[in-house]
Amino acid sequence: MRRVVLSVMAVLSFAPLVFGAGRFTPYTQSFLDKLNSTSTDQVASRDLLRSYSVETTADGEYRVDAFVEVENPLAIAQLEQLGAVCGVECGNLLTISVPLSRFEELVDIDGVATVDIAQPLRLLTDKVRNSSNTNVDALHKGTGLDQSYMGAGVIYGTIDTGIDFNHYAFKDADGNNRILYVYLPDNTTGTKVRGTVYDGYGNATLSGQFPGSEFSGSAISTLKSDYSYESHGTHTMSTGAGSYMGNAYYGMAPEADIVACGTSVPNNVKLVNAVSYIFQKADELGKPAVVNISLGV
């Protein structure tokens, strides 16, 4: 740890270094300029490194992610000699991770044309509602409308994989689960379901019994996830109909009732049957329904 800290502090305290002309992108050069002008105060140094996504390994080494443009494939071996780990290779562009203490040496390698340090990304899904492209916040507030619209009285159906059926995002203000029905085509432990099912060509089978099981009421509380190795369904259903939890993070229709269909092996036959199931439940309840299918071929 002492060796690593000293090497980082040395970079921070030295006079401005001379870098390969034009080989660092302006964003990267800005990072290096700030690095050279930062005091040796470790707190200030850590704040700077954090703002540029410089990571610390388990053994205390600072490492930097970057894109490197190479003009000569032989440069890759020299990158590795500096401790770089090369990732994706797309044409003459490489993704690498390299020790911060060796970062400035990248441009000394013959064949390295450009070095561009990784730029931090922010999680912005929580900004979608107030985006001018969606106007969801205005819809929730009833701006310019006769009332606000939060999804009340509507069935929000979802067909996905990896749904946590008892996630707090699907509870109402009293802690009750807003999921009215769960349909699991791969499960045989629940209630059998009859209805209009479809074959692989989209033809209705009038004698229909859905494969799998449905759950409702207290039976839903016994469920975990339809597929414990995936959480995609929880994410998409939270985005579409996640509950208001007293903070800024909730979905597009936080007051809608939910009918969730989860399968660990999604295919187009199960999808058609699940869509039919959702609308049949909506008809029984006398409510309009929408269905989200964040799946593709």
Side-chain angles (χ1 to χ4, degrees):
M1 180 67 178
R2 179 178 299 173
R3 178 186 60 79
V4 174
V5 171
L6 286 175
S7 65
V8 173
M9 292 304 112
V11 173
L12 291 170
S13 59
F14 279 179
L17 301 172
V18 178
F19 301 107
R23 293 190 182 184
F24 287 119
T25 63
Y27 178 77
T28 307
Q29 188 64 59
S30 174
F31 163 70
L32 293 169
D33 290 344
K34 293 175 182 177
L35 196 64
N36 290 327
S37 62
T38 300
S39 70
T40 56
D41 177 73
Q42 293 192 25
V43 174
S45 303
R46 285 197 298 270
D47 289 343
L48 172 66
L49 299 181
R50 188 182 302 110
S51 68
Y52 279 85
S53 294
V54 177
E55 299 179 6
T56 309
T57 64
D59 60 0
E61 180 182 50
Y62 289 94
R63 294 189 70 87
V64 183
D65 292 331
F67 291 103
V68 175
E69 181 186 9
V70 295
E71 297 174 333
N72 184 345
L74 297 178
I76 296 176
Q78 297 182 60
L79 289 170
E80 292 175 341
Q81 289 176 7
L82 291 181
V85 176
C86 298
V88 174
E89 181 178 350
C90 182
N92 62 344
L93 193 66
L94 299 174
T95 62
I96 70 166
S97 170
V98 66
L100 175 61
S101 59
R102 310 300 297 273
F103 185 68
E104 62 186 279
E105 300 176 48
L106 296 177
V107 294
D108 296 330
I109 296 176
D110 185 31
V112 169
T114 309
V115 177
D116 187 24
I117 190 173
Q119 299 188 31
L121 302 177
R122 293 183 295 156
L123 303 177
L124 293 178
T125 305
D126 61 310
K127 306 296 183 183
V128 173
R129 283 198 329 273
N130 61 20
S131 168
S132 59
N133 294 323
T134 65
N135 292 309
V136 174
D137 271 356
L139 189 69
H140 286 176
K141 295 174 183 177
T143 305
L145 303 170
D146 57 343
Q147 66 177 72
S148 65
Y149 291 89
M150 303 281 282
V154 175
I155 297 297
Y156 178 88
T158 192
I159 304 166
D160 217 311
T161 182
I163 303 172
D164 180 354
F165 302 105
N166 287 281
H167 195 282
Y168 66 87
F170 311 131
K171 310 273 187 188
D172 63 19
D174 297 321
N176 300 311
N177 200 329
R178 292 169 46 230
I179 302 177
L180 302 183
Y181 293 94
V182 170
Y183 170 52
L184 302 177
D186 307 316
N187 183 291
T188 60
T189 65
T191 303
K192 298 298 181 185
V193 189
R194 296 194 63 81
T196 303
V197 297
Y198 296 82
D199 61 21
Y201 301 97
N203 300 313
T205 304
L206 298 179
S207 60
Q209 176 169 300
F210 287 98
S213 306
E214 77 169 1
F215 299 81
S216 62
S218 60
I220 296 177
S221 66
T222 66
L223 299 175
K224 294 182 179 179
S225 173
D226 59 282
Y227 187 43
S228 59
Y229 296 99
E230 180 59 77
S231 59
H232 184 263
T234 304
H235 165 71
T236 59
M237 201 160 79
S238 298
T239 301
S243 303
Y244 175 67
M245 301 300 296
N247 55 32
Y249 306 106
Y250 57 95
M252 303 296 182
E255 295 181 3
D257 293 320
I258 301 172
V259 176
C261 303
T263 172
S264 60
V265 187
N267 61 42
N268 55 351
V269 173
K270 292 178 181 177
L271 185 147
V272 171
N273 287 338
V275 168
S276 177
Y277 174 86
I278 292 169
F279 280 103
Q280 287 175 203
K281 287 301 178 186
D283 287 343
E284 292 174 11
L285 295 168
K287 296 182 178 182
V290 296
V291 180
N292 176 68
I293 307 170
S294 295
L295 301 170
V297 295

